[in-house]
Amino acid sequence: MKKKLVLIGNGMAGVWAVEQLLKLAPNQYEVTVFGSEPHPNYNRILLSSVLAGDAKIDDIVINDWNWYKENGVTLHAGHTVTKIDTERKSVSTASGITAEYDDLIIATGSLPFMLPLPGADKEGVIAFRDINDCNTMIETAKNYKKAIVIGGGLLGLEAARGLLNLNMDVSVVHIFKDLMERQLDQTASQMLRKELEKQGMNFLLEKNTDSILGKKRVTGVKFKDGSVVDADLVVMAVGIKPNVQLAKDSGLEVNRGIVVNDYLETSIPHVYSVGECAEHRGIAYGLVAPLYEQGNELAKRLAGVPSAGYQGSVVSTKLKVSGVDVFSAGQFTDAEDTASVRVQDDFEGVYKKVVIKDGKVIGAVLFGDTSDGSRLFKMIREGEDVTGKEKQILLGEGSGGGAKSGVDYVASMADSEIVCGCNGVSKGTILNAISEKGCTSVNEIKACTKASGSCGGCKPLVADLLALALGADGVQTVKEGICGCTEHSRDEVVEAIRSMRLTSSKEVMNVLEWKTEEGCSKCRPALNYYLGMAWPEEHEEERESRFVNERNHANIQKDGTYSVVPRIYGGVTSPAELKRIAEVAEKFDVPMVKFTGGQRLDLLGVKKEDLPKMWAELDMPSGYAYGKALRTVKTCVGSTFCRFGTQDSIQMGIDLEKRFERLNTPAKVKLAVSGCPRNCAESTIKDFGVIAIDGGWELYVGGNGGVKVRASELLCKVKTEEEVQEWAGAFLQYYREAAKWNERTSEWVSRVGLESIKEALASEEERKALNERIDKTLSLTTDPWKEIIEKDELRATFEELQAPALETVAD
Amino acid sequence: MKRVVVGHSSEVTERRSRIVHVDGVEIAIFKLTGGKLRAIENLCPHKNGKLSEGIVCDHHVFCPLHDWKINLNDGLVQEPDEGCVRTYSVEVEEATGNIILLVEQGSSLAS
Ligand SMILES: Cc1cc2nc3c(=O)[nH]c(=O)nc-3n(C[C@H](O)[C@H](O)[C@H](O)COP(=O)(O)OP(=O)(O)OC[C@H]3O[C@@H](n4cnc5c(N)ncnc54)[C@H](O)[C@@H]3O)c2cc1C
Ligand code: SF4
Ligand code: SF4
Ligand code: FES
């Protein structure tokens, strides 16, 4: 008869151990699992992705309900074990379920540590630990705006990033001066802070929380220094504590965690413990990799496979916040007896530090570029002697030979070594997928084994394993087309349009053998753009391929109403025009009138059927505030009024806006003109920015003030207004012809490099040709609002069909 | 079953839609390439996006708000998202070109 195994805690460590055990000894045990949460085992690490909106709950389940069934595991989800009787060898729950065991595993994980502050029990004060917390945050973000995260460690920052994605204002409160001080040194920590501030996070550092304010629900947080900050949500992420009460009550030896030996045995026979609740050689781990190692050892123990036991782990950490690459491992602070190698590049935002003691690498911190992480981590764990080649560790071959290539490195890994930490996939499993299941690309391996499917940090290692197993030629780099409907890249598509004179989406899809009948929401608008760019006269605008905003010439809002922004050239208006706008707003009951960031007025909350009537009464051109098109040209007052002004920036701005209005571009385009280097119009974060200087103009390109702030780069200096126009036209047309659809100039300039653009625009002839083409395109445009007002069939599409008095015809 | 005349086929452009309210329900009527009509409730199961404003590709529509893909034949949301939109039978009366919407008798629509 099978022996009975009971697992308390349906979490990552416990279920992993059971899974390994079932592989080693499928028929030895009848397994019963108790879990407090009403879910199957899921990947807690990825809660941050759920919060950030990149994954759904279903995506992060590791063992779905079927897995339990298929493996004959009885699962009591939603039932908390409240008693263990180690004499009679049974456990029982408050809900009245009892189970007897021959062997018992306690894997109850941790509890979030809640600061015992006055007011901490108010509604809106939560932790970040499970699906429930995640859902609370997502729901809160729908109705509230201000969030405070207490704790500037790994968990706090991930929570803060998620809340930013949910459009909340987020401030992170941290008691120390440096973020993630346990994982980073000061330099890396400061670089991290700067990067996160860029992403919109606020920091309240060296602040000690005093109490939480509010009646029933939290309204603010008060600090020891007396200051107060408003808050609708407070997330405490100050630490975790092993969840050991049950073990304590049952008479097990407990320090910080449940004390276990190298075989994961507790002080009472037949009771084992793994995971965050266990303490091994004085350490309770809080990361998955060591917990999986513990699980592997426990599985061997239970299956009777001889082994040397668990020896403890060196851990490494990574921050899973988008746009920030941070890695740290081992002992990375400098001491009397250590020396370190450092590389710091403030231009690229890269910092690397390796700490060496007695000829061995004992710790490392990486910021900005973490590609060396796995290699360094291995050196740390294996205690490899690097005497005499310390520099090559970071600087590679160039500094004196020896650094191993990625393929050599993966070749040296043991088969059992974990490659993908998120999903616990070992080198052996991946090699198996290559040899047995015929995987030949990173994507196929992801589909087969889940490796690289979560944070993606191990993609380079997986690619190296492929190269190792198949040789560089055997690896398929799957070509990524412009969308799932085709394998053709942007350049191939445009080339085909040009060389074969294709003038409609249908032709393109036929000729290039699209996999779908009529494309998708990605390729249809892209093709419409490329066709219009290549053949401004021949291509007939395909309205049905335009995104709603560009079809209805207004910006759709979340409730299905629209916003209307008329064009106000250079931000200069007149009392008469303002009166008219005000009257129209009143007449159509516009719920909100707002100044935009681009110096004009936005009428928000307009019903679709009212749009044409409003446009008619406004009698102003469309401001294209909704399109992949020229948006605004922001100006400062310049020499007209400003005492510093060197040139007439207003007139320059108006001229540019009048010339380029209605221009379709790969993505939205914003311009600005400042009258002197004080740059009041913020020309250096625009797609094309002009700054007047004494006796001339500086032209900047590729700036962005949005998601990814980027300062623009100087394209050139010119003397006359005509030259400004010439370069503006040439630059914009070159962008139109060369960039991918939906690619902002900032992304495009970073991708191709400013030099290549300078080169393309260097000859006057070329600039002239580009200007001719852009002027041709511009000459064919008309104001879309006017067109819709004038054409009955276009106007009709804004109106609802009428169902006449229910005309019933008997069936 | 009620047959309701809601307009004329010429009033809907291919790969576009028009909306109509019947018994208090907002219905989007799409015309596919080739002229066939499809009718669904104009409410995305995700966050109530107006499906009538989506891009139509063969017999699918992509919601304009967050790009969910919905099959116009059966109302099913396509992978990786999940959900379902109510569909209605709709046809063009050959003799007149009128759009005829078939709706359940009585309460179901009004509910
Ligand atoms: C947001 C977040 C991000 C993280 N990111 C990372 C990361 O990037 N890398 C990394 O390595 N680690 C990360 N971690 C840590 C990692 O998730 C944990 O180390 C790991 O989940 C611990 O596994 P465990 O099985 O010990 O505990 P858990 O996964 O917490 O499982 C314990 C389970 O036991 C249940 N339980 C407790 N008591 C009882 C009882 N009496 N009866 C029945 N059931 C009970 C609990 O409800 C819980 O479901 C992160 C954690 C969080 C919260
Ligand atoms: S390497 Fe695998 S784990 Fe590391 S973190 Fe990764 S995807 Fe995630
Ligand atoms: S940029 Fe110069 S000219 Fe323009 S407003 Fe500012 S100070 Fe005046
Ligand atoms: S509302 Fe339709 S996809 Fe979000």
Side-chain angles (χ1 to χ4, degrees):
Chain A
M1 211 179 74
K2 284 189 188 178
K3 288 207 281 180
K4 293 194 177 75
L5 176 71
V6 168
L7 166 66
I8 307 177
N10 187 30
M12 295 185 75
V15 177
W16 174 270
V18 168
E19 217 178 322
Q20 303 315 306
L21 173 61
L22 292 174
K23 281 182 198 159
L24 293 177
N27 296 315
Q28 189 173 335
Y29 284 102
E30 192 183 307
V31 185
T32 304
V33 179
F34 290 88
S36 301
E37 295 182 75
H39 306 283
N41 177 36
Y42 62 89
N43 193 337
R44 205 171 293 286
I45 298 184
L46 294 182
L47 285 177
S48 328
S49 313
V50 174
L51 198 56
D54 298 336
K56 290 203 293 288
I57 303 286
D58 283 351
D59 302 333
I60 69 168
V61 167
I62 303 177
N63 305 86
D64 60 13
W65 302 107
N66 271 334
W67 178 88
Y68 295 87
K69 262 193 223 137
E70 282 161 14
N71 288 282
V73 175
T74 310
L75 171 64
H76 298 292
H79 295 272
T80 301
V81 172
T82 48
K83 194 166 180 301
I84 306 173
D85 185 336
T86 52
E87 301 258 296
R88 301 168 69 176
K89 302 211 329 201
S90 73
V91 305
S92 49
T93 67
S95 51
I97 304 173
T98 302
E100 292 180 350
Y101 66 79
D102 293 302
D103 289 299
L104 173 69
I105 305 175
I106 304 180
T108 45
S110 297
L111 297 173
F113 185 68
M114 300 299 276
L115 293 171
L117 302 171
D121 53 349
K122 289 192 200 308
E123 199 180 302
V125 182
I126 58 168
F128 184 24
R129 178 72 196 175
D130 53 27
I131 287 182
N132 201 11
D133 297 326
C134 235
N135 286 338
T136 309
M137 289 191 237
I138 292 168
E139 282 307 310
T140 308
K142 289 185 188 156
N143 299 313
Y144 296 96
K145 193 74 198 155
K146 285 183 141 355
I148 288 201
V149 175
I150 303 183
L154 219 50
L155 202 57
L157 296 179
E158 286 185 12
R161 177 65 241 185
L163 292 167
L164 270 188
N165 280 21
L166 294 170
N167 282 326
M168 293 192 83
D169 293 336
V170 185
S171 299
V172 176
V173 177
H174 195 45
I175 186 166
F176 300 108
K177 190 163 92 256
D178 297 310
L179 298 173
M180 283 177 68
E181 77 289 341
R182 294 225 311 272
Q183 290 91 15
L184 299 181
D185 67 355
Q186 218 173 14
T187 313
S189 172
Q190 280 171 6
M191 292 174 93
L192 172 66
R193 197 189 76 213
K194 275 198 202 131
E195 174 60 36
L196 293 175
E197 277 173 348
K198 260 201 223 161
Q199 297 191 6
M201 247 180 241
N202 296 316
F203 292 102
L204 301 165
L205 301 174
E206 294 182 89
K207 284 270 196 191
N208 218 325
T209 315
D210 174 76
S211 53
I212 293 182
L213 310 175
K215 283 197 174 142
K216 190 158 159 263
R217 186 178 180 92
V218 53
T219 57
V221 171
K222 186 173 172 206
F223 300 103
K224 290 257 158 72
D225 59 13
S227 58
V228 168
V229 177
D230 289 347
D232 308 311
L233 174 74
V234 172
V235 179
M236 282 206 204
V238 290
I240 52 173
K241 51 175 195 232
N243 180 7
V244 295
Q245 198 56 44
L246 177 67
K248 230 185 221 168
D249 295 345
S250 315
L252 272 68
E253 186 191 343
V254 170
N255 276 334
R256 207 178 112 69
I258 303 168
V259 177
V260 295
N261 63 16
D262 290 359
Y263 296 98
L264 292 311
E265 297 165 336
T266 67
S267 59
I268 293 182
H270 300 290
V271 181
Y272 304 81
S273 178
V274 285
E276 286 186 340
C277 58
E279 176 182 319
H280 173 258
R281 299 190 190 169
I283 303 177
Y285 294 92
L287 292 168
V288 172
L291 309 183
Y292 281 178
E293 287 179 41
Q294 292 177 353
N296 293 346
E297 289 304 327
L298 175 58
K300 284 185 207 158
R301 175 81 178 86
L302 293 174
V305 176
S307 113
Y310 177 59
Q311 302 297 322
S313 309
V314 185
V315 294
S316 69
T317 49
K318 262 179 115 163
L319 181 62
K320 311 185 295 293
V321 166
S322 60
V324 188
D325 291 319
V326 180
F327 168 92
S328 93
Q331 186 200 320
F332 54 81
T333 44
D334 299 292
E336 289 272 306
D337 53 354
T338 64
S340 55
V341 184
R342 274 170 238 249
V343 174
Q344 184 169 354
D345 176 350
D346 289 335
F347 294 95
E348 295 288 329
V350 172
Y351 171 70
K352 304 181 181 186
K353 169 177 166 185
V354 175
V355 179
I356 296 165
K357 181 179 169 185
D358 300 333
K360 290 178 183 153
V361 179
I362 59 165
V365 179
L366 303 175
F367 184 93
D369 170 7
T370 52
S371 54
D372 295 324
S374 321
R375 194 168 51 84
L376 289 170
F377 187 43
K378 182 161 194 254
M379 289 181 157
I380 297 170
R381 270 185 312 178
E382 298 190 345
E384 185 181 326
D385 199 311
V386 295
T387 311
K389 25 177 203 177
E390 291 88 350
K391 276 195 207 153
Q392 293 145 29
I393 296 170
L394 269 191
L395 304 173
E397 313 257 355
S399 54
K404 284 184 190 165
S405 78
V407 177
D408 289 342
Y409 166 63
V410 292
S412 72
M413 288 172 77
D415 269 3
S416 62
E417 208 169 317
I418 300 283
V419 172
C420 173
C422 293
N423 298 307
V425 186
S426 68
K427 171 182 167 185
T429 309
I430 294 173
L431 289 180
N432 209 18
I434 297 171
S435 61
E436 314 253 299
K437 299 190 186 144
C439 296
T440 55
S441 71
V442 175
N443 267 346
E444 284 171 14
I445 292 190
K446 179 164 85 185
C448 261
T449 67
K450 292 198 210 161
S452 83
S454 299
C455 80
C458 57
K459 255 187 210 158
L461 288 184
V462 175
D464 287 340
L465 278 171
L466 274 164
L468 174 70
L470 303 174
D473 298 338
V475 184
Q476 270 195 7
T477 39
V478 176
K479 245 180 67 187
E480 291 200 13
I482 57 173
C483 69
C485 303
T486 177
E487 267 156 30
H488 292 288
S489 67
R490 181 262 175 212
D491 289 347
E492 289 168 340
V493 171
V494 173
E495 176 53 32
I497 291 176
R498 287 190 190 284
S499 65
M500 292 188 252
R501 268 199 162 264
L502 307 176
T503 57
S504 75
S505 301
K506 205 171 164 196
E507 282 175 359
V508 177
M509 292 180 184
N510 270 335
V511 169
L512 296 181
E513 298 182 335
W514 240 239
K515 289 183 230 157
T516 49
E517 250 168 86
E518 295 191 337
C520 70
S521 55
K522 292 211 173 51
C523 57
R524 283 264 300 279
L527 288 183
N528 187 47
Y529 170 77
Y530 295 139
L531 288 160
M533 177 270 291
W535 308 115
E537 286 170 287
E538 295 84 347
H539 170 63
E540 201 174 321
E541 164 71 11
E542 295 167 15
R543 277 175 205 272
E544 70 279 3
S545 295
R546 288 269 187 184
F547 180 63
V548 51
N549 291 351
E550 300 190 342
R551 200 183 322 121
N552 292 343
H553 289 278
N555 223 327
I556 197 166
Q557 311 292 316
K558 66 175 188 183
D559 61 355
T561 64
Y562 290 82
S563 86
V564 170
V565 181
R567 185 149 320 268
I568 296 183
Y569 299 96
V572 179
T573 176
S574 67
E577 200 168 64
L578 285 173
K579 266 190 217 156
R580 199 161 66 239
I581 295 174
E583 275 158 15
V584 171
E586 269 182 354
K587 177 163 178 192
F588 288 92
D589 278 333
V590 170
M592 181 177 280
V593 180
K594 187 186 173 304
F595 286 101
T596 70
Q599 300 181 331
R600 41 197 195 169
L601 280 161
D602 194 349
L603 312 180
L604 291 135
V606 181
K607 293 195 257 339
K608 183 180 176 192
E609 58 269 27
D610 283 344
L611 288 171
K613 284 173 258 168
M614 258 182 79
W615 297 334
E617 300 218 1
L618 277 171
D619 195 22
M620 291 168 75
S622 162
Y624 273 84
Y626 45 78
K628 296 190 190 303
L630 176 86
R631 295 286 178 89
T632 59
V633 182
K634 193 169 174 174
T635 65
C636 77
V637 290
S639 62
T640 324
F641 286 96
C642 177
R643 67 196 162 105
F644 299 114
T646 59
Q647 309 266 11
D648 189 349
S649 49
I650 296 184
Q651 194 56 49
M652 182 83 242
I654 293 177
D655 291 348
L656 285 167
E657 188 157 357
K658 289 213 156 139
R659 177 169 174 214
F660 295 119
E661 68 176 318
R662 299 191 291 272
L663 182 67
N664 274 316
T665 39
K668 63 182 168 191
V669 166
K670 297 177 176 180
L671 270 56
V673 186
S674 295
C676 83
R678 284 171 190 75
N679 191 16
C680 295
E682 299 165 342
S683 304
T684 45
I685 51 164
K686 296 289 185 266
D687 296 279
F688 187 84
V690 181
I691 296 182
I693 48 174
D694 212 6
W697 307 84
E698 289 177 343
L699 308 179
Y700 291 85
V701 298
N704 189 307
V707 191
K708 266 209 152 171
V709 182
R710 182 180 195 272
S712 53
E713 297 179 69
L714 182 65
L715 179 66
C716 64
K717 289 187 199 187
V718 298
K719 293 223 164 58
T720 65
E721 273 108 68
E722 292 73 50
E723 283 173 296
V724 174
Q725 290 285 358
E726 178 191 327
W727 281 87
F731 173 77
L732 288 174
Q733 180 64 12
Y734 184 51
Y735 165 56
R736 296 185 73 233
E737 292 177 2
K740 297 181 197 165
W741 180 77
N742 208 11
E743 185 176 40
R744 292 290 303 266
T745 62
S746 54
E747 299 164 288
W748 174 61
V749 173
S750 320
R751 178 167 65 87
V752 302
L754 181 66
E755 283 313 309
S756 78
I757 295 170
K758 279 187 176 170
E759 218 168 277
L761 305 183
S763 91
E764 199 184 331
E765 258 163 52
E766 194 51 47
R767 292 199 299 276
K768 240 176 103 190
L770 286 162
N771 269 293
E772 272 165 21
R773 294 205 286 276
I774 202 169
D775 287 334
K776 171 90 227 169
T777 298
L778 286 164
S779 73
L780 296 166
T781 65
T782 48
D783 183 62
W785 289 359
K786 217 170 180 179
E787 192 184 358
I788 293 167
I789 298 166
E790 283 168 1
K791 290 196 183 145
D792 288 348
E793 75 273 16
L794 291 181
R795 214 174 47 241
T797 63
F798 285 77
E799 280 151 22
E800 196 171 308
L801 291 175
Q802 296 304 322
L806 290 188
E807 205 180 292
T808 314
V809 185
D811 234 0
Chain B
M1 204 56 103
K2 273 187 203 164
R3 295 162 55 90
V4 190
V5 179
V6 295
H8 191 266
S9 170
S10 64
E11 290 177 286
V12 194
T13 320
E14 278 191 11
R15 294 196 265 183
R16 297 282 298 272
S17 76
R18 297 290 296 273
I19 61 166
V20 63
H21 279 87
V22 179
D23 272 8
V25 181
E26 189 169 312
I27 296 174
I29 298 177
F30 292 86
K31 189 185 268 184
L32 310 183
T33 303
K36 288 237 163 64
L37 298 182
R38 292 288 180 275
I40 62 174
E41 187 171 357
N42 195 21
L43 198 66
C44 178
H46 179 217
K47 294 194 174 169
N48 301 342
K50 294 223 185 253
L51 298 170
S52 54
E53 302 297 345
I55 292 181
V56 179
C57 298
D58 47 74
H59 56 279
H60 294 94
V61 64
F62 290 84
C63 178
L65 293 197
H66 316 94
D67 212 31
W68 279 24
K69 183 180 181 184
I70 287 135
N71 186 334
L72 292 170
N73 289 343
D74 54 16
L76 283 182
V77 175
Q78 305 294 292
E79 300 242 317
D81 305 302
E82 278 171 33
C84 149
V85 188
R86 186 154 14 146
T87 57
Y88 299 91
S89 301
V90 64
E91 60 190 36
V92 179
E93 198 172 49
E94 251 177 57
T96 58
N98 282 341
I99 300 174
I100 313 259
L101 193 66
L102 275 79
V103 293
E104 293 279 329
Q105 200 80 44
S107 62
S108 80
L109 252 179
S111 67

